[in-house]
Structures are given as structure tokens and as C-alpha cells.
Amino acid sequence: MIIEFVGLPGAGKTTLARRTAEELGIEYVNVSAAREKCWYPIRFALGSPIFFIWLMCMTMREAGLSARRARHMLFVMLSMAVRDEKARACGRERMVVLDEGLTQYALSLYRRRVDTGELRGYMARVRGAREVRHVEAPRDVRLARMEGRGRVSR
């Protein structure tokens, strides 16, 4: 099973995910090796080809006509799919913790108001048993954290 943390940038997902993994004595899923970054997207696409194509189409639809935005969203999608696929592979036999995966991508994907039915449809396609934990922080705290990382908040 996967415990996935979701929330806005700077909310504290990674901090809480690492702390939870340490407290429970379970693995915190991190993808850092170049080999993993190449292998897991292929595994994801081959293991879930229909979902992969659907997700690519949804990403392109939400990106609109902006090539720059589409490129950025595809990069984010693949980054989160890599983490999610590794967590799913590790989480088959044991519990693991993930700070951002395909559930988080659902929150990042839509730049418009989404009804519950559409979000449920997305989540029904995400594979692997998971517990989702939502992380919140005040806007000023999130902005300060993002600024400290040299990133711009949405």
C-alpha cells in the first residue's frame, strides 16, 4: 500500500512524508538514479498503456495551445508517474510513503474548476491501493518556503 501526500507547493508534503516513513519504519520512495528515471516511465507506459495515453491527452488538453506549458506539464506528469510507478512496485509487498504521485498530478493538472465526478473518474484510473493525506499550510508560510527554494508559487 502507498501513503501519498498531496497539497500545494510549500505545504510540507516532503517533510511530512519523510517523517511518517521514519516513524512507521517504512520506505520513503525517492527516485534519484538516472537509470530509474529512464526505466519507470517505460514501465508505466507499458504497464498501463490506455491510462498513459489518456493522461497524455488530458495533459495536452489542459495545456491548451501553449507549447511551453505543454512541455512543462508533460515533464511534471512523467516525474510524478516515475515516483508513482516506483511506489506501486515497492508497495505491492509492503507499505511505502510517497510525497507526490499521480494523485498529486490530478491536483496540478486541472487549471479550471473540476467537478467531483471528473476527479473520481481520474482517480479510478490510478492504479495501486493508496491512502491519500492532504497537507495544508497558510499561504504566507507556503510562499516563504517557495521563495527559499528559489521557486515561484502558483
Side-chain angles (χ1 to χ4, degrees):
M1 176 156 109
I2 301 167
I3 299 173
E4 182 180 351
F5 286 82
V6 300
L8 292 171
K13 297 179 297 290
T14 302
T15 301
L16 288 174
R18 287 185 175 149
R19 186 179 303 151
T20 299
E22 187 177 314
E23 288 173 0
L24 297 176
I26 58 178
E27 181 181 355
Y28 166 74
V29 175
N30 187 23
V31 178
S32 56
R35 184 176 179 185
E36 289 180 323
K37 290 179 182 179
C38 292
W39 166 241
Y40 283 110
I42 295 167
R43 182 179 165 143
F44 173 65
L46 294 176
S48 306
I50 294 171
F51 179 57
F52 179 75
I53 291 167
W54 178 84
L55 196 55
M56 294 276 291
C57 291
M58 290 295 296
T59 299
M60 297 308 291
R61 185 183 92 186
E62 292 297 320
L65 298 175
S66 169
R68 183 176 186 196
R69 178 159 166 66
R71 188 173 52 250
H72 172 72
M73 288 180 70
L74 287 170
F75 173 78
V76 170
M77 182 201 83
L78 287 173
S79 298
M80 291 188 185
V82 165
R83 291 182 185 143
D84 203 89
E85 187 63 27
K86 182 176 180 181
R88 216 176 52 69
C90 296
R92 279 195 184 108
E93 298 177 16
R94 62 189 186 277
M95 188 178 287
V96 297
V97 177
L98 178 62
D99 65 353
E100 287 183 322
L102 290 175
T103 307
Q104 177 68 35
Y105 186 66
L107 301 174
S108 303
L109 175 64
Y110 298 106
R111 307 248 339 152
R112 59 183 166 80
R113 194 157 185 79
V114 179
D115 67 38
T116 307
E118 191 171 2
L119 196 53
R120 279 195 185 119
Y122 174 91
M123 288 308 299
R125 290 177 168 89
V126 176
R127 298 182 310 157
R130 67 188 67 222
E131 173 186 319
V132 178
R133 297 185 182 181
H134 184 253
V135 181
E136 291 186 23
R139 181 172 168 72
D140 58 326
V141 171
R142 288 187 309 96
L143 291 174
R145 289 175 181 165
M146 295 303 293
E147 188 177 305
R149 296 176 195 157
R151 297 187 62 201
V152 178
S153 179
R154 290 186 240 167

